Amino acid sequence: MPSTLGQTMVSPNHTFLDSSVFILMGIPGLEEFHLWLSLPVCLLGTATIVGNITILVVIATEPALHKPMYLFLCMLSTIDLAASFSTVPKLLAILWCGAGHMSASACLAQMFFIHAFCMMESTVLLAMAFDRYVAICHPLRYTTVLTDTIIVRIGVVAMVRGSILMLPCPFLIQRLSFCQSHVIPHTYCEHMAVVKLACGDTRPNRVYGLTAALLVIGVDLFCIGLSYFLIARAVLRLSSHEARSKALGTCGSHVCVILISYTPALFSFFTHRFGHHVPLHTHIILANVYLLFPPALNPMVYGVKTKEIRERVVRVFQKGQGTGLKAPE
C-alpha cells in the first residue's frame, strides 16, 4: 500500500515503514572505506571555511577591493560557505557513524538549499563573465554600467532565480507515493535519488528537474561562452602584445573557476541521466566532487592568481607574525 510523505505504512512482511523518515546510505559499495573517505571531506570542508572567510575578510577590510569583480567574488564565497554548511556536516555524520536518518522535511529542505545554492552560484559566475566583458570590451563605461545599485540587483536576481526555479521540486515530491524502500543510496538528498524511490508517476518530477537544470546550466554556459568569445575578439584586435597579455590575465581566475565549477557538474549531470552502465558509487562520487571541490578551490584560485588579493593576504599574515614576535617592553 503506497503512502505519501508524513504517513506510516505497513509493508507486505508486516514491518512498519515511516515515510516521514529517509535514510542516507552514504556511498554504496564503499562502506568499508567511509572512515578513510571522511579525511578528504574534512580537508575540503576546512579549506572551504578558511579560504572563503579569508576572502570575505580581506575584501571587506580593504577599501581598494570594493570593486565589482571583488564584490561578485564575495557573493560567490558566501554561496560556497552556505552550500558547504548544508552538506558537509551530514556527510561527515554518515561517514563517521552511519547517522543517515533524516526526516522528510529536513531532506526536502536540504534538497532545496543544495540545488538552489548551485543555481545561485551559476548566476554569479555569469555575472562575473559579464563583468570581465564590460571591463575589457567597454572599459570607459565600466563604472557607469556596474554601479553599486546594479551589483545589488544582480545579487538579488541570483537569489530569487535559484529559489524560484527550485521551489516547485519539494512540492512535486510531496505528492509522490513511497511504497517500498526509504533508503536513499546517496550522501545527501539529491533530487533524482529521492524521486527514484517513488512508485507512482514521476514524469513531472523528471521533466521539471531536467528543464530547470538545462535552463540554468545551458543558458548560463551559453552566455558565458558568448562573453568570452566577444572578449577574445576584442583582445585579438589589440596591437600591443603586452596589452593582450594583461587583458587575458584579468580573465584567468574566472576561467579557472568556471572550469572547476562546471566540469564536475556536467559530468555528474550526464552520467546520472545517460550513464546507465556507470557504477552507482561513481555517480555519487561525481556528485560529491561537484559539491565539495569548487567551494574549496575557488578561494585558492583567486588567492593565487589575483595579485591584489594575494598581496593583501600576505600583508595580513606578515602583520600577524610581526605582532606575535614583538617583544613586550
Side-chain angles (χ1 to χ4, degrees):
M1 177 181 177
S3 68
T4 55
L5 291 179
Q7 297 178 340
T8 303
M9 59 169 282
V10 183
S11 67
N13 60 359
H14 303 291
T15 58
F16 288 91
L17 296 176
D18 185 1
S19 63
S20 66
V21 175
F22 287 107
I23 302 172
L24 294 166
M25 284 183 64
I27 306 177
L30 298 179
E31 290 88 352
E32 59 189 277
F33 301 108
H34 274 186
L35 196 58
W36 290 105
L37 290 171
S38 68
L39 296 177
V41 173
C42 276
L43 291 174
L44 290 169
T46 303
T48 298
I49 295 171
V50 173
N52 285 289
I53 288 178
T54 300
I55 291 288
L56 290 172
V57 170
V58 167
I59 294 175
T61 56
E62 289 289 343
L65 296 180
H66 294 176
K67 299 175 183 178
M69 182 175 72
Y70 301 112
L71 296 178
F72 287 134
L73 180 56
C74 281
M75 293 182 196
L76 189 67
S77 291
T78 303
I79 293 169
D80 283 343
L81 282 171
S84 180
F85 282 124
S86 66
T87 54
V88 173
K90 188 62 180 179
L91 174 55
L92 288 176
I94 294 169
L95 296 178
W96 281 339
C97 15
H101 287 73
M102 182 177 269
S103 67
S105 57
C107 183
L108 293 179
Q110 187 191 51
M111 177 195 306
F112 171 82
F113 284 116
I114 287 175
H115 293 295
F117 286 140
C118 291
M119 293 176 182
M120 293 176 198
E121 179 164 337
S122 182
T123 307
V124 173
L125 289 174
L126 173 57
M128 295 171 85
F130 177 69
D131 167 83
R132 292 298 85 204
Y133 164 73
V134 176
I136 293 173
C137 298
H138 304 282
L140 298 179
R141 299 175 56 193
Y142 184 71
T143 55
T144 57
V145 172
L146 288 168
T147 62
D148 291 343
T149 303
I150 295 297
I151 293 169
V152 170
R153 287 178 181 174
I154 290 174
V156 172
V157 167
M159 289 190 293
V160 171
R161 182 196 189 205
S163 301
I164 289 179
L165 283 175
M166 192 56 206
L167 191 60
C169 287
F171 293 103
L172 287 172
I173 285 179
Q174 281 186 320
R175 71 172 185 85
L176 296 176
S177 299
F178 296 85
C179 53
Q180 295 182 4
S181 174
H182 298 142
V183 178
I184 304 173
H186 216 295
T187 55
Y188 62 90
C189 288
E190 198 271 335
H191 176 243
M192 287 308 301
V194 177
V195 169
K196 287 178 180 178
L197 297 180
C199 52
D201 182 14
T202 61
R203 279 176 298 179
N205 301 75
R206 294 173 183 273
V207 170
Y208 185 80
L210 182 61
T211 303
L214 290 176
L215 278 175
V216 175
I217 296 178
V219 171
D220 290 0
L221 273 179
F222 172 78
C223 293
I224 289 171
L226 179 61
S227 296
Y228 275 99
F229 168 76
L230 296 173
I231 288 171
R233 189 177 67 174
V235 169
L236 290 174
R237 290 176 178 173
L238 296 174
S239 57
S240 169
H241 175 73
E242 183 180 351
R244 287 198 297 267
S245 300
K246 184 177 180 181
L248 292 174
T250 62
C251 301
S253 301
H254 186 240
V255 171
C256 289
V257 168
I258 288 172
L259 293 174
I260 291 169
S261 299
Y262 282 109
T263 302
L266 290 172
F267 269 109
S268 178
F269 176 79
F270 285 115
T271 56
H272 197 74
R273 282 163 177 80
F274 307 111
H276 302 297
H277 301 293
V278 177
L280 181 58
H281 63 265
T282 303
H283 284 290
I284 297 171
I285 290 173
L286 284 173
N288 282 276
V289 166
Y290 167 49
L291 288 181
L292 296 174
F293 274 81
L297 296 181
N298 290 347
M300 298 181 191
V301 169
Y302 274 96
V304 170
K305 294 187 71 66
T306 307
K307 181 182 177 182
E308 292 83 357
I309 293 178
R310 185 173 67 249
E311 288 178 348
R312 280 157 178 79
V313 170
V314 170
R315 191 184 306 165
V316 168
F317 279 103
Q318 286 176 342
K319 284 182 179 179
Q321 289 179 352
T323 303
L325 294 174
K326 185 178 179 180
E329 296 180 359

